[in-house]
């Protein structure tokens, strides 16, 4: 694979980039901060000296950055065939309810701009016969739930987009993998109380890499979350109204 | 309404204090104004716990990037949260290993520097700090400072073994050891008593770069301190099997054992079996580095066998000047105090290193684990009195009970350390539960 990872300097994106490089795939990192990108490039080079690694600036808050970033990745990798989007904003329900500006940013970045970025990737990949698009959504998008009403709504939209995209374009060669991580211990969730089955980013990376190779349309990770969400999906509305999760 | 219980943090000994670990990939930002930074929390006592009255400590583990590696020279620079476990996983198959490693690989570079860790090769290669070329620290006033043996050398020396009190370690540059193969050639022997054990350890030091051993501290009389001495060296390429060592699946202790699980009887049984499992007088062969360096890393959360009450490890070093019988006198003292230990590890140390508060000195290091009881403080006090009389000292990374006056009596280097700390952190903003206890820092 020749993979582009948006958000590859932190959290699950960092773990996925390392797993891709360790598995022998070339990796191009996209992110907001040039110095941070440079440090992650050095990290990947030191870990996996035999693969090609590079980086370019890209900011989900600024759709104008998408085209030049993908151009740079295409030039650097000699045409990429895989793109993973791990970047997103996060806020707790309380933070988002209290701060409309933060809410607007989050809804814009996590849904609207993420879809715009994926659309830019879609046209590129389809123009060369297809490829893989891996989008990190969340289990928060599975049901409307009290602790993640707003963040979950953005992720629900993203999940629906991924499913539609996969149905519409898989025959044309574009495989869309929707990743639904449960609680994973990253910088994003630092300070939140970890529930049972909280996972590590390295485990997520292993699961996602396997799903990418298989072309699985949906992957719950770490694995126990598939069962947890299967139950939550089946709970009747009157139960969801009463429970706190 | 009942108030929610405050969150707690614990060291490896499971001794809990109110505290919260804040993690971020951006360690430089995270440490701005932070009271303390911790890594993987493998120090046993209270050195990685916040001082009373403060909850937040910075956690370095997400800052785990390699920043530069030169395969020609073996010099590596990485963020402080990078662990020796990752290091060995990434670089062993490329012919490099950590120059010094403690008995667990779950230690960050920042932690290895703060504890100035030592290992089975101490008699040859000294502490971790001897292989460090440069450090980047966030010091108490907020500045970021690069130090090395030649740049701000006093700050550098005080940081090696300084328990994180001189500044938050952000980056570490150090020299990896080149190894001829990813396998260890080992030889182990059964030794009948503690004096013979210490003699064998000293004799082995001349021929073997790595030595360590375990002794049974429950047998009495002529069997006192019988044990198993393990010697090792890296296998040459022609001696090693063609395949790389495989790491087996790890076991994990899934829950806290009930506190009665470890009692004098079960500990005695374990020690008896462990000794006689080595029924041959001498064994030799090849071992994986994981099995050789990190036998306990194969069991995740092994500290849970002590149950909710937790445990402590008492580790001291007795100088060569204390004479040949020092280890036996220690064992006699421990037996008299009733400090039954599941594990007792004895290792000879080479000369004192660069670090101002670095633990080892030329002599014999003894480490014993003890479940916490009402008597623990009294046992530690009595052992400290013995160690002071013998001219030895304790290892701060294991300690949770030593009294400040005892620490001062065993640590003539303390004033030099405090002088450096005064210069860089006159208000003692960077502090820990341990520094409040031992150095009298305000809370």
């Amino acid at each position: 694979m020749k993979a582009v990872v948006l958000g590859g300097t932190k959290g699950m994106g960092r773990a996925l980039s390392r797993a891709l490089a360790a598995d022998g795939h070339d990796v191009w990192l996209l992110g907001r901060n040039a110095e941070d990108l440079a440090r992650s490039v050095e990290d990947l080079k030191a870990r996996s000296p035999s693969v090609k690694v590079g980086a370019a600036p890209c900011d989900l808050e600024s759709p104008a950055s998408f085209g030049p970033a993908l151009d740079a990745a295409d030039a650097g990798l000699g045409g990429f065939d895989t793109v993973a989007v791990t970047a997103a904003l996060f806020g707790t329900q309380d933070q988002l309810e209290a701060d409309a500006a933060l809410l607007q940013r989050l809804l814009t970045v996590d849904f609207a701009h993420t879809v715009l970025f994926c659309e830019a990737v879609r046209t590129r990949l389809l123009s060369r016969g297809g490829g893989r698009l891996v989008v990190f959504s969340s289990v928060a998008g599975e049901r409307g739930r009290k602790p993640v009403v707003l963040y979950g709504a953005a992720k629900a939209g993203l999940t629906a987009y991924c499913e539609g995209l996969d149905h519409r374009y898989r025959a044309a060669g574009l495989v869309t993998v929707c990743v639904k991580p449960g609680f994973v211990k990253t910088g994003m969730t630092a300070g939140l109380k970890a529930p049972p089955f909280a996972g590590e980013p390295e485990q997520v990376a292993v699961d996602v890499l396997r799903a990418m190779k298989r072309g699985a349309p949906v992957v719950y990770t770490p694995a126990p979350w598939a069962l947890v969400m299967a139950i939550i999906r089946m709970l009747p509305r009157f139960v969801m109204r009463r429970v706190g999760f | 309404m009942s108030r929610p219980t405050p969150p707690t943090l614990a060291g490896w000994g499971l001794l809990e204090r109110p505290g919260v670990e804040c993690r971020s990939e951006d360690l430089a930002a995270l440490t701005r104004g932070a009271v303390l930074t911790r890594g993987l929390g493998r120090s046993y006592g209270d050195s990685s716990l916040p001082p009373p009255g403060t909850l937040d400590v910075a956690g370095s583990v997400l800052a785990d990037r390699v920043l530069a590696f030169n395969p020609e020279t073996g010099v590596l620079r990485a963020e402080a949260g990078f662990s020796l476990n990752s290091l060995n996983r990434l670089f062993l198959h490329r012919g490099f290993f950590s120059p010094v490693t403690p008995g667990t690989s779950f230690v960050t570079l920042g932690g290895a520097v703060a504890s100035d860790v030592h290992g089975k090769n101490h008699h040859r290669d000294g502490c971790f700090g001897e292989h460090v070329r440069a450090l980047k620290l966030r010091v108490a006033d907020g500045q970021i400072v690069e130090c090395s043996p030649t740049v701000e050398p006093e700050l550098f020396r005080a940081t090696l073994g300084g328990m994180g009190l001189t500044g938050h370690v952000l980056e570490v540059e150090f020299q990896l050891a080149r190894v001829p193969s990813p396998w260890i050639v080992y030889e182990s022997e059964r030794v009948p008593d503690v004096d013979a054990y210490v003699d064998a350890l000293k004799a082995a030091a001349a021929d073997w770069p790595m030595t360590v051993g375990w002794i049974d501290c429950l047998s009495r009389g002529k069997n006192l301190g019988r044990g198993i001495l393990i010697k090792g060296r890296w296998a040459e390429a022609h001696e090693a099997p063609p395949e790389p060592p495989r790491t087996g699946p790890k076991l994990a202790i899934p829950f806290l054992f009930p506190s009665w699980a470890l009692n004098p009887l079960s500990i005695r049984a374990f020690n008896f079996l462990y000794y006689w499992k080595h029924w041959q007088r001498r064994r030799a062969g090849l071992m994986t580095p994981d099995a050789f360096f990190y036998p306990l890393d194969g069991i995740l959360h092994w500290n849970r066998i002590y149950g909710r009450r937790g445990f402590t490890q008492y580790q001291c070093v007795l100088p060569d000047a204390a004479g040949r019988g020092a280890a036996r006198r220690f064992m006699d003292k421990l037996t008299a105090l009733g400090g039954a230990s599941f594990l007792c590890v004895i290792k000879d140390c080479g000369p004192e290193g660069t670090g101002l508060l670095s633990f080892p000195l030329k002599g014999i290091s003894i480490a014993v684990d003890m479940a916490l009881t009402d008597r623990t403080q009294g046992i530690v006090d009595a052992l400290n009195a013995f160690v002071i009389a013998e001219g030895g000292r304790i290892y701060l990374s294991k300690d949770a009970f030593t009294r400040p006056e005892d620490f001062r009596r065993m640590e003539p280097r303390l004033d030099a350390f405090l002088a450096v700390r005064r210069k860089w952190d006159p208000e003692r903003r960077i502090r820990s539960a341990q520094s409040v206890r031992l150095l009298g820092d305000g809370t």
Side-chain angles (χ1 to χ4, degrees):
Chain A
M1 281 184 251
K2 294 178 179 182
V4 178
V5 183
L6 173 57
T9 63
K10 288 190 168 63
M12 291 183 272
R14 178 185 288 187
L16 180 62
S17 307
R18 286 175 179 171
L20 282 163
D23 201 42
H25 310 288
D26 295 341
V27 177
W28 197 269
L29 301 175
L30 301 180
R32 282 188 293 187
N33 181 316
E35 195 206 328
D36 199 38
L37 286 168
R39 286 165 78 97
S40 282
V41 166
E42 283 311 310
D43 178 57
L44 291 175
K45 281 183 179 166
R47 287 167 183 262
S48 304
S50 60
V51 303
K52 195 184 283 179
V53 181
C58 181
D59 185 352
L60 271 180
E61 300 214 51
S62 139
S65 69
F66 300 167
L70 292 172
D71 285 344
D74 256 339
L77 294 179
F80 56 79
D81 54 33
T82 299
V83 175
V85 185
T86 67
L89 282 179
F90 179 74
T92 64
Q93 181 66 17
D94 289 344
Q95 286 165 345
L96 295 171
E97 282 179 358
D99 185 343
L102 176 66
L103 174 60
Q104 182 170 3
R105 267 182 75 206
L106 182 134
L107 294 175
T108 307
V109 165
D110 287 4
F111 180 69
H113 287 182
T114 300
V115 170
L116 286 176
F117 180 81
C118 291
E119 286 294 293
V121 170
R122 174 182 66 79
T123 50
R124 271 180 205 245
L125 289 178
L126 285 172
S127 75
R128 54 181 88 140
R132 275 182 215 87
L133 175 60
V134 182
V135 183
F136 277 57
S137 184
S138 171
V139 296
E142 294 285 274
R143 285 294 295 264
R145 292 190 289 122
K146 290 174 187 171
V148 284
V149 176
L150 296 162
Y151 175 75
K155 289 299 191 180
L158 192 58
T159 298
Y161 167 74
C162 289
E163 184 179 352
L165 201 63
D166 197 41
H167 291 323
R168 186 171 168 90
Y169 292 110
R170 188 171 280 244
L174 178 65
V175 172
T176 306
V177 177
C178 182
V179 182
K180 298 178 183 177
F183 191 100
V184 180
K185 294 178 205 160
T186 64
M188 190 182 96
T189 58
L192 302 179
K193 193 172 152 42
F197 313 119
E200 299 291 340
E202 291 72 25
Q203 181 58 47
V204 170
V206 170
D207 292 349
V208 172
L209 189 56
R210 194 185 313 119
M212 285 164 78
K213 289 180 177 175
R214 278 206 338 255
V218 176
V219 52
Y220 290 91
T221 171
W225 286 91
L227 185 64
V228 173
M229 296 322 293
I231 294 166
I232 287 182
R233 274 199 308 277
M234 285 186 299
L235 289 179
R237 185 175 276 262
F238 74 87
V239 176
M240 287 304 286
R241 179 148 316 188
R242 284 171 170 270
V243 295
F245 54 80
Chain B
M1 216 172 98
S2 67
R3 253 185 298 169
T5 50
T8 58
L9 275 180
W12 190 240
L14 299 175
L15 186 71
E16 291 185 325
R17 295 286 161 77
V20 175
E21 182 179 323
C22 308
R23 293 180 173 182
S24 164
E25 285 91 352
D26 190 350
L27 189 59
L30 188 67
T31 53
R32 210 173 283 129
V35 69
L36 186 72
T37 299
R38 79 194 311 245
L40 282 159
R42 257 28 177 220
S43 61
Y44 286 59
D46 52 4
S47 50
S48 73
L49 304 182
T54 305
L55 279 184
D56 291 350
V57 286
S60 70
V61 291
L62 296 180
D64 65 347
R65 286 184 290 201
V66 179
L67 300 173
F69 174 65
N70 183 336
E72 305 295 319
T73 60
V75 172
L76 182 135
R77 189 181 182 95
E79 293 174 334
F82 187 63
S83 71
L84 294 192
N85 188 269
S86 301
L87 172 77
N88 298 338
R89 203 157 31 81
L90 289 170
F91 290 97
L92 182 58
H93 69 97
R94 289 152 76 179
F96 293 97
F97 196 75
S98 177
V100 165
T101 178
T104 176
S105 65
F106 299 117
V107 57
T108 61
L109 296 183
V113 165
S115 290
D116 200 15
V117 295
H118 60 276
K120 297 172 174 51
N121 58 349
H122 189 269
H123 60 282
R124 268 282 158 109
D125 301 319
C127 287
F128 189 80
E130 306 307 313
H131 308 271
V132 174
R133 295 162 47 104
L135 296 171
K136 187 185 266 189
L137 305 178
R138 180 183 287 284
V139 292
D141 68 1
Q143 287 182 75
I144 290 181
V145 178
E146 181 95 8
C147 64
S148 73
T150 51
V151 179
E152 299 293 358
E154 286 306 306
L155 179 64
F156 181 77
R157 287 192 63 197
T159 302
L160 301 177
M163 307 311 292
L165 299 173
T166 54
H168 305 277
V169 181
L170 302 179
E171 294 174 15
V172 180
E173 183 177 311
F174 64 116
Q175 174 73 52
L176 298 186
R178 209 176 278 275
V179 297
S181 82
W183 289 89
I184 298 283
V185 171
Y186 84 98
E187 195 179 293
S188 58
E189 59 180 304
R190 202 149 44 75
V191 187
D193 70 81
V194 64
D195 290 330
Y197 178 91
V198 171
D199 291 345
L201 199 54
K202 298 258 175 192
D207 300 327
W208 294 86
M210 296 172 290
T211 59
V212 74
W214 158 93
I215 69 169
D216 172 358
C217 51
L218 287 170
S219 303
R220 303 190 180 207
K222 69 174 173 52
N223 287 338
L224 176 74
R226 63 181 180 181
I228 293 166
L229 175 66
I230 305 153
K231 301 167 278 192
R233 62 175 171 83
W234 289 97
E236 293 301 324
H238 69 270
E239 297 171 291
E243 74 274 18
R246 285 232 300 251
T247 45
K250 286 194 189 319
L251 300 171
I253 307 285
F255 51 81
L256 285 165
F257 275 24
S259 290
W260 46 259
L262 273 199
N263 57 58
L265 208 68
S266 63
I267 293 173
R268 191 178 294 272
F270 171 83
N271 276 267
F272 180 85
L273 289 172
Y274 199 92
Y275 183 73
W276 287 111
K277 191 163 83 78
H278 198 287
W279 50 273
Q280 311 97 317
R281 192 146 148 56
R282 194 176 289 270
R283 264 186 217 171
L286 286 169
M287 253 176 145
T288 68
D290 277 353
F292 182 76
F293 291 106
Y294 315 116
L296 285 171
D297 280 0
I299 308 169
L300 299 172
H301 307 298
W302 65 261
N303 52 349
R304 289 178 179 168
I305 63 172
Y306 284 91
R308 191 166 301 283
R309 62 194 164 166
F311 72 112
T312 188
Q313 188 174 82
Y314 187 84
Q315 182 167 5
C316 62
V317 58
L318 303 172
D320 280 345
R324 178 171 181 267
R328 172 173 287 273
R329 291 198 295 281
F330 179 90
M331 299 312 303
D332 281 334
K333 186 88 195 166
L334 182 71
T335 309
L337 291 164
S341 174
F342 192 56
L343 269 181
C344 176
V345 176
I346 299 197
K347 160 83 190 122
D348 57 326
C349 293
E352 192 168 278
T354 309
L356 272 182
L357 282 187
S358 179
F359 163 68
L361 55 78
K362 188 101 184 66
I364 290 282
S365 152
I366 307 176
V368 292
D369 286 1
M370 291 182 284
L372 294 184
T373 67
D374 297 343
R375 292 164 42 239
T376 306
Q377 181 70 52
I379 295 175
V380 171
D381 288 343
L383 290 175
N384 279 340
F386 169 83
V387 168
I388 291 164
E390 300 280 353
R393 60 182 176 230
I394 56 141
Y395 191 10
L396 290 177
S397 307
K398 309 292 178 76
D399 182 58
F401 291 95
T402 293
R403 297 178 193 274
E405 58 274 21
D406 286 344
F407 182 62
R408 181 159 272 288
R409 284 163 70 203
M410 62 178 74
E411 197 45 90
R413 304 170 298 174
L414 184 57
D415 287 328
F417 174 80
L418 291 177
V420 178
R421 197 169 172 222
R422 230 178 350 263
K423 177 177 166 200
W424 290 93
D425 186 7
E427 292 152 42
R428 298 192 177 191
R429 289 187 208 170
I430 299 178
R431 59 200 192 283
S432 64
Q434 186 172 60
S435 79
V436 168
R437 174 171 59 84
L438 283 181
L439 307 179
D441 296 350
T443 55

